[in-house]
Amino acid sequence: MKRFIILLLLASAMLGVAFAQFEGVEATIVTFTGPQIAEPLQRRSPDFEALTGAKMNVVTVPFSDLYQQILTDVATNTNSFDGFVFAPQWMVDYIVPGFLEDLTDRVAADSDLLWQDVAPFFRDFSSTFEGQIYTIPLDGDFQMVYYRTDVLEENGLEAPATWDDYINIAGSVDGQDMNGDGEPDFGSCIAKKRNAQSYWMITSVWGAFIQSQGTSQGAFFNTDTMEPLVNNAAFESALDVYLATTEFGPPDELNLDVGDTRGLFTSGRCALSIDWGDIGTLAIDPTTSVVQNKVGAVILPGSTQVLDRDTGELVDCDANTCPFAVNGVNHAPFAAFGGWSGAVNAAADPLVKDAVYAFFSYMNQPAQSNIDVTIGITGFNPYRVSQFENLPLWITAGMSREAALNYLGAIRESLNSPNMVLDLRIPQNQRYQQIVLDTAISQLLAGELTKEEAMQQIYDGWQEITDELGLEDQLSAYRSTLGVQR
Amino acid sequence: MRSGGRPEGTLQGPDASQTRRSRSLRERIGSWFDRNAGNVFLLPTFLIVLLLSIFPFLVSAYLSLSRIRFVRGGFEITFVGLRNYRKLIKGSEKRHFLGVFGDFSLISWLILIVFVALLGYALWRYLRSGHRISAAGVIYRIITFSILSYGMWYLLKTLSSGGRPGTLAVTFIYVFLGIGCQYLLGLGLALLTTQRLVGRRFFRVVFLLPMMITPVGIAYTFRMLTDTDKGPINPIWKLLGLAEVSWVTSPWGARWAIMIGDIWQWTPFMFIVLLAAIEGLPEELFEAAHVDGASRWQIFWNITLPQLVPVSVTVVLIRMIEAFKIVDLPNVLTNGGPGTATESLTLHSFFTWRALDLGGSAAIAYMLLIVSLFVGISYANLLQQRAQR
Amino acid sequence: MQPIRRLFQSRSLHKPSPGTAIISYILLGIWAFIVLFPLYWLVVTSLKLPIQVIEGPFYLPWIDFDPSTHAWTYIFVDVWNDTVRPYINTIIVAIVSSVLALLFGGSAAYGLTRFTYRPRLAAIFTFLGLLVLSIVAINLGLDWRLALVVAVAVFLLLLQPISKRFQRSLGNNDIAFWLISQRILPPVAVVIPIYVLFQRMGLLDTLTALIVTYMAVNLPIVVWLMRDYFQSIPLELEESAKVDGASPYRVFWSITLPLAVPGMVATFLFVLVFAWNEYLLALFLSTADAQTMPLLVAAQNATRGPQWWYMSVLILIMIIPVIILAIVLERFISRGLLVGAVKG
């Protein structure tokens, strides 16, 4: 611990020299109503003020309305906020009209940021659009599979490597008592509630079937034609997996959001779950968890067959079809939502912009973020390479050595994967995902649609939006987010 | 457009000749105010409502005919004509908005025939009533009745086997079933608490409570309560051997969960208005009936109920206008799921709006406006006027 | 059979027979349980630790589980500053907007029951036509101030000749129906325009914006309910006062209003409850300073799922003032609506 305090002091001293110029500057930063995310911002803003003189007011908005409210605010030129802490998934809707400040030069000039220490995916994809940097990551978000180490061990099972394994495990442990209350518990809990997180879950499943050639290949559209990749054998396999998991889930799984599945998992009622990094830190918190050190994490399961984009059929993995496969299994970890990031309002005062940037940089620097990512309440998950090497930090936070190694290993494996799936970031992505995809998946789960109807409905719905917004524009935006050069 | 109120008040503005005697400025202003008292009373409200509503009305109307898009340097609104509406009625949103039509069963046919017969009877009664019949009135009624029959046909079609109600039909279900239950419960409770029972004031206050809670709060409370896993009904559920069954994952179970929340919240409104109405009925009526030896049931059926018709009509109209906008409960309880089973029109519009499809969202809102305006006007005209007679 | 029959025989008009009383109590008890149980569940949940909420249903503090005041301390100590401001805002906004709505709406309702209005159709159409024209003109690049002045001038010029030529007009009931129809459009459809309106006036994130909006939204309901009460007040009193030379305002203020106080109290409660609980408009019209309590409740649903324990505390502290008000006003409500309901 001492080492970090010294480090902190050292960093503070350096910062003090670097940023003393913000005396009297005041800025408003908006994020959603915490305690997560808002808590560390509020906690650290007095320290930042002591260092630089800039006062950061953190205001909050309910999570479900954050996107709309920020956009309304900037689009009508109200500009109540100087900085935003939001999901980089939304950024294209803000960048295209010119609402966000380009931070490329500031990042390049900022040596305290240790930008190279930020995991490559977040540097090159998550915070970047058309080669320019617009957001500073504060949180690393991608999905993993969590499993109960004790339950799997008792049954002589290994952590799932493929989605078939996932279903087999879920099926064989479903109905066992996993928390000692004498009641049967569930094989798998996935948040399948409509208009919640369900569409990220299904994307986590389909990623491995559809994307195999690296992040730039994209998992939503064909990068040449903008044709949706949702009406083919690979997508159908993913739907089969998704439907199969429902059989081993709680009876009201269709009405569970991640809050519910996290509760179920940490109260020991599920053997498997798909989630962001949060379960890892929630599971070590004695006020919420009865499964301390019984939780393992693993990179999202993969597939031994992937989509051949020319034929729309599944083909077996080999060196050509799955260049990044591990043991013949193609993994495609999904950076769902993208991790809370800071962005600067382009319409703010120049000095205020600098101050807001300095604040995000301060939050991002290892001295601060390496501590914040181990605290459950911050909602921050690790995103820096150095954060995986600081094992003591995680053990201090309450993890056993094995659990910490296991958790960090899964994160590191996901983050280092060159085949990470980037969340959809083209303009109006909310319509593609939250409206069309989410509704069709929900109708499929509820039995309102067959698989074929659901795939057709997503395909048609996506085509319709693309036509409405202009095929060329959407295609070039899609390629830009994936870093594809023309 | 005729509304339903009663005949106008009988006081006319003060006689102008009386007030023209004095000359001083102050008195002249005073007399001007006296002469225009009617306008002074009404105009502030009229102007406030007009100013704050006409702008949103027009803007939404325009948005519903356009499409919003973010381009370099800001946003761009393109006029697209009726395309947003066409999408709902004919295009890709049709199955979502209107639903899927199923096959008519014998029962559906029976319900439809009975419904049409009732409307026909109402028309016949109007024609036989003798007074105040006009050609316009007849044509107006025929058109209204045809649209109502068509609406019934639509509802039955989506609710029959093989069909699936769209958000429009779901909203109708919420409005009619919900208000029906609320009215009956409210009336029953009001009758119970007008008896001279010890502790009735306690019950009256308790029964008012649900109305006081913020709708968002109620929605979350009911989400806790309806959770079959960690909610309070879990043991009962297990006792019934339903541990593996969840009501919120079946369409009708989920709809009922939402309607129960709605009924819980809004029965108090019906209750308090009807309670006051019953308390206000002239005592002599009851005494006379009691002396004549009428049974309680006869008193209720022949005296209380007819007296309650006018206030019932008003209170149902107010509730109807609010109920068409139901959004918090389905949004929080089920998010419109499973599938689209519990999605109301306002929620449909809200989801679309949240994804920044402002045009599509405004079009749905305007469809809602048209439908509830039609239902409201025909209801006011056909029932309220009768109630006043 | 005979004893049973006697059990249900009522001896007086209002005093129910013992049998009826027992059945009534059973039914009242059932409904009271239905009403109170969710509230009880809120109280219990507010006393639970997160793990106790997640693990399954526990019903009785001290018996089922050990109650904890962690949620109450969090709201009242840790984030007290973030709670007390919305709380005060809610109180100010709800009371001021309801009083104003009652004042304006009440006098409008009085006007609608005591005077005859004949708004000319022609004038309405002229107004609408000019409105559309000026919007088109503004879209084509005309300055909006100029457009407004021109439109008002033309309207005033045209008003007299047109009204003389076309005599068709609407009546009081049409005005009332128009008012209530303003409540039909769902808030989603109006929230962005209202936001832009207040943004142009520089009133965003102020209590004024919320007060004005809630007042306007509540006016139709006030007019509708108050119309019923005024209608049921006998006209003789007012007429005799008028014969004595009292002005219409004096008649309204010192004769009609006192008679309608119970009805006004009831209406006030309805309207207050609405302003107290409104969510979507408050969300957009306030960002930091003017936030109200419903926002705080909704905000407890965060990325980690709803924080039931905090939410329960907030809901409970939100309803306490309204419950007290309901207890105080209950006697007025029943007598209040009583007056209005005689004729419906």
Side-chain angles (χ1 to χ4, degrees):
Chain A
M1 206 57 211
K2 227 179 218 166
R3 201 157 53 111
F4 293 101
I5 294 168
I6 295 168
L7 241 166
L8 192 81
L9 288 175
L10 213 81
S12 317
M14 277 155 54
L15 276 167
V17 178
F19 293 125
Q21 71 267 36
F22 298 129
E23 203 55 57
V25 174
E26 218 175 298
T28 308
I29 291 172
V30 67
T31 187
F32 82 97
T33 318
Q36 301 94 40
I37 316 299
E39 187 272 342
L41 296 172
Q42 278 157 344
R43 174 163 46 84
R44 292 203 181 273
S45 70
D47 301 346
F48 180 72
E49 188 181 355
L51 279 175
T52 65
K55 188 168 159 48
M56 296 289 144
N57 303 312
V58 179
V59 299
T60 57
V61 170
F63 173 59
S64 51
D65 306 291
L66 187 61
Y67 167 82
Q68 260 283 347
Q69 190 155 29
I70 302 179
L71 202 52
T72 314
D73 185 83
V74 286
T76 55
N77 249 322
T78 315
N79 294 318
S80 323
F81 317 116
D82 306 305
F84 320 115
V85 176
F86 62 9
Q89 199 200 350
W90 304 337
M91 74 190 206
V92 178
D93 283 341
Y94 295 82
I95 292 170
V96 171
F99 299 144
L100 293 192
E101 177 80 355
D102 183 347
L103 304 176
T104 317
D105 298 338
R106 287 189 177 84
V107 169
D110 188 351
S111 55
D112 300 320
L113 194 59
L114 299 178
W115 190 241
Q116 294 307 315
D117 184 41
V118 174
F121 171 80
F122 292 102
R123 257 188 292 141
D124 300 338
F125 292 102
S126 201
S127 51
T128 307
F129 181 75
E130 292 182 336
Q132 305 300 109
I133 298 169
Y134 288 93
T135 61
I136 304 296
L138 302 173
D139 167 34
D141 262 354
F142 46 87
Q143 296 202 317
M144 294 183 285
V145 160
Y146 291 89
Y147 59 94
R148 285 281 298 282
T149 45
D150 53 336
V151 173
L152 264 62
E153 205 169 297
E154 273 166 35
N155 290 275
L157 295 164
E158 291 286 316
T162 66
W163 286 109
D164 289 340
D165 295 347
Y166 186 97
I167 293 170
N168 290 336
I169 296 170
S172 59
V173 302
D174 187 45
Q176 296 182 5
D177 177 17
M178 303 176 195
N179 58 355
D181 64 354
E183 306 266 344
D185 295 315
F186 314 111
S188 153
C189 302
I190 299 176
K192 287 177 181 159
K193 188 170 188 162
R194 179 159 175 232
N195 248 280
Q197 298 83 12
S198 172
Y199 62 91
W200 282 309
M201 303 297 166
I202 178 68
T203 313
S204 279
V205 177
W206 93 51
F209 293 92
I210 287 182
Q211 179 181 298
S212 58
Q213 305 286 338
T215 303
S216 313
Q217 195 192 14
F220 294 89
F221 297 95
N222 186 320
T223 48
D224 294 324
T225 59
M226 200 64 191
E227 192 195 358
L229 298 172
V230 294
N231 204 354
N232 51 50
F235 199 85
E236 198 179 339
S237 308
L239 291 183
D240 285 332
V241 171
Y242 203 57
L243 286 171
T245 59
T246 308
E247 288 170 33
F248 310 119
D252 55 351
E253 197 178 25
L254 300 195
N255 203 35
L256 300 180
D257 61 23
V258 282
D260 301 311
T261 56
R262 281 167 191 170
L264 284 170
F265 193 88
T266 53
S267 60
R269 307 227 37 204
C270 313
L272 292 166
S273 184
I274 306 177
D275 208 323
W276 285 270
D278 300 72
I279 283 187
T281 41
L282 279 174
I284 55 177
D285 182 349
T287 63
T288 56
S289 167
V290 297
V291 292
Q292 281 125 300
N293 295 321
K294 291 178 187 166
V295 178
V298 65
I299 185 171
L300 280 181
S303 162
T304 51
Q305 288 189 309
V306 295
L307 176 69
D308 177 349
R309 296 195 178 191
D310 296 329
T311 62
E313 295 301 322
L314 282 169
V315 291
D316 287 330
C317 265
D318 58 34
N320 282 327
T321 52
C322 311
F324 305 112
V326 179
N327 302 328
V329 178
N330 177 50
H331 289 277
F334 178 37
F337 195 65
W340 293 89
S341 304
V344 180
N345 187 346
D349 260 17
L351 196 61
V352 173
K353 283 193 223 175
D354 287 338
V356 173
Y357 170 77
F359 181 59
F360 290 144
S361 163
Y362 172 76
M363 293 297 299
N364 176 289
Q365 287 160 22
Q368 282 67 245
S369 82
N370 285 9
I371 292 168
D372 289 344
V373 292
T374 64
I375 307 173
I377 196 173
T378 61
F380 286 170
N381 300 139
Y383 58 92
R384 276 178 176 276
V385 177
S386 60
Q387 285 159 357
F388 308 113
E389 279 141 28
N390 278 321
L391 207 54
L393 214 58
W394 297 90
I395 293 169
T396 323
M399 276 192 192
S400 72
R401 198 181 161 73
E402 302 84 77
L405 278 173
N406 175 300
Y407 177 67
L408 295 175
I411 294 177
R412 190 184 344 214
E413 195 184 344
S414 307
L415 270 189
N416 290 342
S417 168
N419 195 31
M420 190 96 147
V421 173
L422 183 75
D423 209 345
L424 189 62
R425 291 199 325 203
I426 56 179
Q428 305 217 357
N429 55 58
Q430 306 240 1
R431 282 176 71 189
Y432 288 92
Q433 292 180 306
Q434 254 183 43
I435 301 289
V436 175
L437 174 64
D438 191 64
T439 308
I441 294 295
S442 174
Q443 289 182 305
L444 171 74
L445 289 172
E448 286 181 12
L449 297 178
T450 64
K451 269 187 298 176
E452 288 71 28
E453 284 172 336
M455 293 197 295
Q456 192 63 42
Q457 188 170 314
I458 301 168
Y459 185 89
D460 293 343
W462 283 10
Q463 289 282 44
E464 188 181 47
I465 303 170
T466 306
D467 289 342
E468 232 175 66
L469 300 175
L471 182 103
E472 276 309 307
D473 291 353
Q474 294 298 89
L475 181 58
S476 83
Y478 186 57
R479 292 166 66 105
S480 301
T481 60
L482 291 172
V484 179
Q485 308 297 323
R486 232 177 227 275
Chain B
M1 195 167 48
R2 302 278 316 261
S3 88
R6 270 138 312 276
E8 289 88 332
T10 48
L11 268 179
Q12 287 294 329
D15 191 1
S17 63
Q18 268 186 358
T19 49
R20 212 168 275 165
R21 264 168 290 153
S22 60
R23 295 276 157 91
S24 83
L25 184 66
R26 213 186 127 182
E27 282 186 35
R28 249 199 265 164
I29 292 175
S31 78
W32 183 89
F33 267 97
D34 281 0
R35 267 181 288 124
N36 291 288
N39 290 336
V40 174
F41 279 125
L42 183 63
L43 269 184
T45 295
F46 183 80
L47 289 178
I48 292 169
V49 175
L50 182 75
L51 288 180
L52 257 140
S53 68
I54 197 123
F55 181 60
F57 250 70
L58 291 171
V59 171
S60 320
Y62 182 72
L63 277 179
S64 77
L65 300 173
S66 59
R67 180 176 291 158
I68 193 162
R69 211 161 77 97
F70 284 87
V71 293
R72 303 257 164 221
F75 57 90
E76 170 189 282
I77 298 178
T78 336
F79 186 79
V80 293
L82 290 172
R83 210 171 297 175
N84 288 325
Y85 291 94
R86 202 177 306 139
K87 195 165 147 188
L88 287 176
I89 292 166
K90 284 184 171 166
S92 60
E93 284 283 287
K94 182 190 164 189
R95 289 154 65 93
H96 192 178
F97 176 71
L98 291 176
V100 177
F101 290 164
D103 305 315
F104 254 48
S105 65
L106 191 64
I107 300 169
S108 323
W109 278 117
L110 276 177
I111 297 173
L112 187 65
I113 289 167
V114 169
F115 184 75
V116 172
L118 277 175
L119 288 179
Y121 177 69
L123 189 65
W124 186 72
R125 285 255 322 244
Y126 171 72
L127 290 173
R128 288 288 304 268
S129 66
H131 63 99
R132 292 213 313 196
I133 296 183
S134 64
V138 175
I139 293 170
Y140 171 77
R141 275 174 176 73
I142 289 176
I143 293 174
T144 310
F145 288 167
S146 324
I147 297 177
L148 285 178
S149 314
Y150 180 76
M152 195 67 191
W153 175 84
Y154 156 72
L155 265 182
L156 289 169
K157 198 87 177 146
T158 57
L159 289 176
S160 47
S161 68
R164 164 156 56 80
T167 50
L168 182 64
V170 170
T171 310
F172 274 117
I173 294 170
Y174 288 151
V175 170
F176 294 127
L177 284 184
I179 292 185
C181 293
Q182 287 159 25
Y183 180 76
L184 292 178
L185 278 170
L187 183 62
L189 294 171
L191 287 171
L192 285 175
T193 48
T194 43
Q195 302 176 91
R196 298 276 180 274
L197 289 171
V198 181
R200 69 203 160 102
R201 286 199 50 198
F202 164 77
F203 285 113
R204 288 182 183 185
V205 173
V206 166
F207 292 170
L208 274 185
L209 291 181
M211 210 173 69
M212 311 290 173
I213 307 175
T214 178
V216 185
I218 289 183
Y220 278 106
T221 311
F222 271 82
R223 195 162 139 203
M224 272 193 268
L225 296 173
T226 53
D227 192 316
T228 42
D229 190 54
K230 49 188 187 285
I233 57 160
N234 164 280
I236 304 168
W237 219 239
K238 274 190 190 146
L239 213 67
L240 295 172
L242 293 169
E244 287 303 308
V245 184
S246 168
W247 61 344
V248 278
T249 48
S250 88
W252 277 104
R255 280 179 206 134
W256 272 110
I258 283 162
M259 273 186 278
I260 288 172
D262 196 48
I263 290 165
W264 189 81
Q265 181 180 14
W266 288 113
T267 300
F269 180 73
M270 297 282 189
F271 160 74
I272 190 67
V273 175
L274 291 170
L275 169 73
I278 296 171
E279 294 253 308
L281 294 178
E283 195 81 343
E284 308 86 55
L285 281 175
F286 293 101
E287 275 162 14
H290 192 68
V291 169
D292 290 348
S295 72
R296 295 168 63 86
W297 175 251
Q298 282 170 328
I299 292 180
F300 169 72
W301 193 249
N302 293 323
I303 299 175
T304 317
L305 201 59
Q307 296 281 337
L308 288 181
V309 169
V311 76
S312 305
V313 169
T314 309
V315 84
V316 167
L317 179 70
I318 291 182
R319 266 305 295 148
M320 202 153 71
I321 286 176
E322 300 298 310
F324 265 113
K325 301 188 291 186
I326 181 170
V327 64
D328 288 310
L329 271 166
N331 185 27
V332 172
L333 209 53
T334 59
N335 285 14
T340 53
T342 57
E343 192 173 332
S344 68
L345 271 183
T346 309
L347 190 58
H348 187 182
S349 168
F350 183 61
F351 285 159
T352 317
W353 177 78
R354 219 166 47 182
L356 219 74
D357 182 3
L358 296 185
S361 163
I364 299 169
Y366 259 78
M367 293 301 292
L368 174 68
L369 178 80
I370 293 164
V371 169
S372 43
L373 211 56
F374 173 77
V375 174
I377 290 174
S378 24
Y379 173 85
N381 276 344
L382 301 181
L383 281 178
Q384 202 162 20
Q385 280 177 354
R386 168 155 316 158
Q388 278 153 27
R389 239 175 260 149
Chain C
M1 273 316 275
Q2 206 53 33
I4 296 175
R5 270 192 82 106
R6 194 165 307 148
L7 200 60
F8 285 92
Q9 206 112 56
S10 61
R11 257 151 249 112
S12 81
L13 179 54
H14 289 294
K15 188 109 183 99
S17 61
T20 319
I22 290 168
I23 294 175
S24 301
Y25 275 123
I26 292 172
L27 293 174
L28 289 173
I30 291 174
W31 188 256
F33 177 79
I34 292 174
V35 166
L36 289 177
F37 186 76
L39 294 170
Y40 170 74
W41 197 248
L42 285 175
V43 175
V44 173
T45 306
S46 76
L47 294 173
K48 287 179 182 173
L49 289 171
I51 187 76
Q52 291 160 339
V53 177
I54 294 164
E55 268 201 305
F58 297 110
Y59 299 87
L60 302 166
W62 290 287
I63 297 170
D64 263 356
F65 67 96
D66 285 329
S68 144
T69 55
H70 79 107
W72 292 87
T73 15
Y74 178 79
I75 298 289
F76 276 91
V77 181
D78 299 357
V79 293
W80 177 238
N81 288 333
D82 295 333
T83 317
V84 72
R85 201 182 43 196
Y87 208 76
I88 293 171
N89 285 346
T90 313
I91 293 173
I92 296 174
V93 167
I95 291 182
V96 175
S97 74
S98 310
V99 167
L100 287 178
L102 211 59
L103 196 72
F104 290 122
S107 58
Y110 182 75
L112 283 172
T113 49
R114 297 293 188 268
F115 298 85
T116 311
Y117 297 94
R118 293 257 163 263
R120 294 279 150 85
L121 266 180
I124 295 168
F125 283 120
T126 316
F127 175 77
L128 285 178
L130 283 172
L131 196 75
V132 172
L133 270 181
S134 44
I135 287 172
V136 171
I138 292 168
N139 264 357
L140 290 176
L142 191 70
D143 185 60
W144 68 271
R145 278 156 295 203
L146 187 67
L148 189 74
V149 171
V150 171
V152 170
V154 173
F155 179 67
L156 292 176
L157 275 177
L158 286 180
L159 194 58
Q160 285 298 331
I162 288 192
S163 317
K164 278 212 182 98
R165 189 148 310 161
F166 305 98
Q167 294 286 339
R168 285 209 66 161
S169 60
L170 299 171
N172 288 18
N173 285 344
D174 300 301
I175 298 175
F177 196 87
W178 175 77
L179 281 172
I180 196 85
S181 73
Q182 298 310 300
R183 278 192 71 103
I184 292 181
L185 211 56
V188 193
V190 298
V191 70
I192 298 260
I194 287 188
Y195 176 90
V196 174
L197 198 69
F198 283 108
Q199 193 244 352
R200 294 270 175 267
M201 292 194 272
L203 285 176
L204 282 183
D205 203 18
T206 61
L207 297 182
T208 320
L210 286 176
I211 290 171
V212 170
T213 316
Y214 289 166
M215 178 184 68
V217 169
N218 275 331
L219 275 174
I221 293 235
V222 175
V223 171
W224 268 64
L225 288 173
M226 291 306 293
R227 231 160 46 116
D228 282 355
Y229 304 131
F230 287 138
Q231 224 138 37
S232 61
I233 294 173
L235 289 175
E236 295 82 42
L237 282 170
E238 295 181 26
E239 267 159 4
S240 65
K242 258 191 62 190
V243 169
D244 294 345
S247 78
Y249 308 102
R250 179 153 290 279
V251 172
F252 174 60
W253 190 255
S254 33
I255 295 178
T256 319
L257 268 194
L259 285 172
V261 158
M264 293 183 74
V265 170
T267 312
F268 178 73
L269 196 59
F270 286 137
V271 175
L272 182 89
V273 165
F274 172 83
W276 191 266
N277 293 331
E278 203 283 333
Y279 173 74
L280 192 69
L281 291 164
L283 173 71
F284 269 77
L285 296 180
S286 66
T287 43
D289 295 339
Q291 281 198 335
T292 55
M293 287 297 282
L295 297 183
L296 216 56
V297 173
Q300 299 310 316
N301 182 24
T303 49
R304 292 232 166 119
Q307 305 176 66
W308 302 116
W309 35 98
Y310 300 144
M311 201 178 267
S312 304
V313 175
L314 288 172
I315 297 173
L316 287 172
I317 62 173
M318 248 188 100
I319 48 176
I320 287 168
V322 204
I323 290 180
I324 296 171
L325 210 64
I327 293 172
V328 173
L329 298 181
E330 183 264 349
R331 68 189 75 219
F332 291 109
I333 295 177
S334 36
R335 269 205 287 136
L337 285 163
L338 169 159
V339 178
V342 176
K343 291 195 212 159

